[in-house]
Amino acid sequence: MSEISMQEKLSAIVKNALDSMNGAQTLDALNDIRVNVLGKKGELTAVLKGMKDVAPEDRPKVGQMVNEARDTIEKTLETVKTKLESEKLERQLAEEIIDVTLPARKVEVGHRHPNTIALEEVERIFIGMGYEVVEGPEVEYDLYNFEKLNIPANHPAKDEQDTFYVTKDIVLRTQTSPCQAREMEKGRLPIRMLSPGRVFRSDEVDATHSPSFHQVEGLVVDKNITFADLKGTLAQFAKELFGPETKTKFRPHHFPFTEPSAEMDVSCFKCGGKGCRFCKGSGWIEILGCGMVHPHVFEMCGIDPDEYTGFAFGVGLERIALLKYEIDDMRLLYENDYRFLKQF
Ligand code: DAH
């Protein structure tokens, strides 16, 4: 091929390339053009490959022309590329607007139910005294719920705790006290346990009753445990739960599985004991049942009552939550009304 026609051919390639590059609308289109001209199978590359057909004396000149053509094309390529890139950025900046002045979307963080808050508070106090938290089944044998707690068939105490019978021998537990029997039967002594959970009774729903509620059971078994240990422990619990000024009072009571038994009252944390609407004028609020583990219960659970003594207590969890938050209707705790629950 002669030098002249080579010159024409190169000019045509360059002109064509410049025209199409200047007309390219996108970076992709520009890249396609680059490949078509400068790529392995590109037009200019084809010319270079044809150098072998050029007369040796013309080669330096032709080589120079090819290089110039390449330079021109590459320069334009860069210019157009820069232009298209900045256009693309401009477009993105215009389209992808973030209005930093818009108020952030509020994330609603869930939180604990008042019952759970009360339970964790009770657990914290007793874990601090070295108690271990254990749980028992909600569907329980009559044997554990009644029999091993010294409540034999036909005992009047069974009447007060009427419940739902799955079969003659299996009930929905009426109290967390069966966890005492289960723990003692394991035979690992001494015991310092706390057992929270749901209990059931066939009670009508009203402001202070529900067929399903929660209790927290406590049990301590060791050598030389006395009623003084019971009083000291529960008085300390009351102080931690209701404040350091809280006084406690133990009234004699009856529970079949403890002897002696008591109910513990705390001085009203609202009026300090003077008497108010909250404590119904008495200055005291009933808070839990307790007592020394009955020797017969020990025997039925395989513990020697001559060697070991212990105390137990049972707290109504809802009662604690209602008192703590001054809620006067237990039903509110179960209705799952968000407006109520989010206050705590
Ligand atoms: N289980 C009893 C109830 O539901 C509460 C109770 C009283 C538990 C005395 C105890 C206890 O462990 O010693 O009424």
Side-chain angles (χ1 to χ4, degrees):
M1 205 187 295
S2 77
E3 199 185 310
I4 300 295
S5 64
M6 184 58 102
Q7 171 93 58
E8 277 167 6
K9 190 165 181 190
L10 283 171
S11 304
I13 291 176
V14 170
K15 181 175 182 309
N16 197 8
L18 297 193
D19 281 352
S20 40
M21 282 192 291
N22 284 322
Q25 297 294 320
T26 64
L27 286 163
D28 282 346
L30 186 67
N31 191 47
D32 287 346
I33 299 164
R34 185 188 63 78
V35 172
N36 284 339
V37 182
L38 304 177
K40 258 195 207 153
K41 292 179 182 154
E43 294 171 55
L44 202 64
T45 320
V47 173
L48 269 179
K49 281 183 188 155
M51 283 291 270
K52 59 180 184 316
D53 302 328
V54 176
E57 63 275 22
D58 291 338
R59 276 184 201 163
K61 185 86 177 98
V62 172
Q64 199 190 341
M65 287 185 326
V66 173
N67 281 341
E68 277 166 12
R70 172 182 282 274
D71 278 354
T72 314
I73 292 170
E74 279 179 346
K75 275 202 192 90
T76 306
L77 190 71
E78 268 317 299
T79 318
V80 176
K81 191 172 165 206
T82 312
K83 186 188 95 185
L84 288 177
E85 275 172 351
S86 76
E87 278 174 10
K88 186 177 172 193
L89 185 65
E90 287 300 321
R91 230 180 4 260
Q92 274 181 331
L93 287 175
E95 279 168 7
E96 300 172 11
I97 296 173
I98 298 169
D99 183 351
V100 290
T101 66
L102 269 181
R105 204 171 298 151
K106 217 171 150 196
V107 181
E108 295 273 1
V109 180
H111 62 100
R112 295 170 302 160
H113 189 278
N115 260 355
T116 310
I117 303 176
L119 173 59
E120 287 181 358
E121 182 70 8
V122 173
E123 286 183 343
R124 184 189 63 75
I125 296 168
F126 282 102
I127 286 171
M129 297 189 210
Y131 285 58
E132 189 188 350
V133 178
V134 297
E135 283 186 32
E138 291 175 5
V139 182
E140 183 58 283
Y141 290 108
D142 178 283
L143 179 71
Y144 286 101
N145 194 80
F146 296 119
E147 206 81 19
K148 288 202 181 232
L149 296 172
N150 222 12
I151 311 172
N154 306 321
H155 191 285
K158 231 171 156 171
D159 222 30
E160 287 165 26
Q161 297 195 6
D162 192 19
T163 182
F164 306 90
Y165 281 77
V166 178
T167 68
K168 194 170 75 52
D169 304 320
I170 298 175
V171 299
L172 299 191
R173 67 176 176 189
T174 61
Q175 45 187 351
T176 42
S177 305
C179 299
Q180 290 187 31
R182 286 180 171 275
E183 196 61 22
M184 287 191 272
E185 274 191 356
K186 288 183 190 162
R188 283 197 305 248
L189 296 163
I191 295 169
R192 267 196 217 95
M193 75 139 214
L194 199 64
S195 191
R198 186 189 289 271
V199 299
F200 306 83
R201 295 192 191 173
S202 53
D203 283 342
E204 294 287 338
V205 175
D206 65 25
T208 54
H209 292 87
S210 161
S212 159
F213 57 103
H214 300 77
Q215 291 185 334
V216 186
E217 193 77 16
L219 174 69
V220 170
V221 179
D222 204 345
K223 290 176 179 162
N224 304 317
I225 297 291
T226 69
F227 202 86
D229 296 308
L230 177 155
K231 284 182 80 174
T233 303
L234 294 179
Q236 181 59 27
F237 164 62
K239 282 189 185 7
E240 288 201 40
L241 192 62
F242 296 114
E245 306 301 321
T246 311
K247 295 194 203 60
T248 40
K249 176 169 86 172
F250 292 81
R251 280 178 293 103
H253 200 80
H254 171 261
F255 296 105
F257 39 92
T258 44
E259 182 58 35
S261 304
E263 276 189 333
M264 184 177 88
D265 297 345
V266 294
S267 56
C268 177
F269 48 85
K270 208 65 183 133
C271 64
K274 286 196 273 306
C276 66
R277 192 189 66 87
F278 205 65
C279 55
K280 300 195 184 82
S282 77
W284 295 95
I285 298 173
E286 180 196 321
I287 202 87
L288 55 79
C290 56
M292 302 304 291
V293 180
H294 198 293
H296 189 220
V297 172
F298 273 143
E299 279 164 3
M300 283 187 286
C301 297
I303 294 177
D304 181 358
D306 292 330
E307 196 181 349
Y308 285 93
T309 50
F311 68 83
F313 54 91
V315 195
L317 190 59
E318 278 79 357
R319 190 156 169 74
I320 302 280
L322 296 183
L323 285 172
K324 217 171 152 61
Y325 294 113
E326 299 179 29
I327 304 164
D328 53 15
D329 193 327
M330 188 176 179
R331 284 167 288 199
L332 288 164
L333 292 175
Y334 305 123
E335 281 167 357
N336 281 343
D337 185 331
Y338 184 62
R339 291 164 304 176
F340 167 77
L341 290 175
K342 72 177 177 188
Q343 300 175 80
F344 306 100

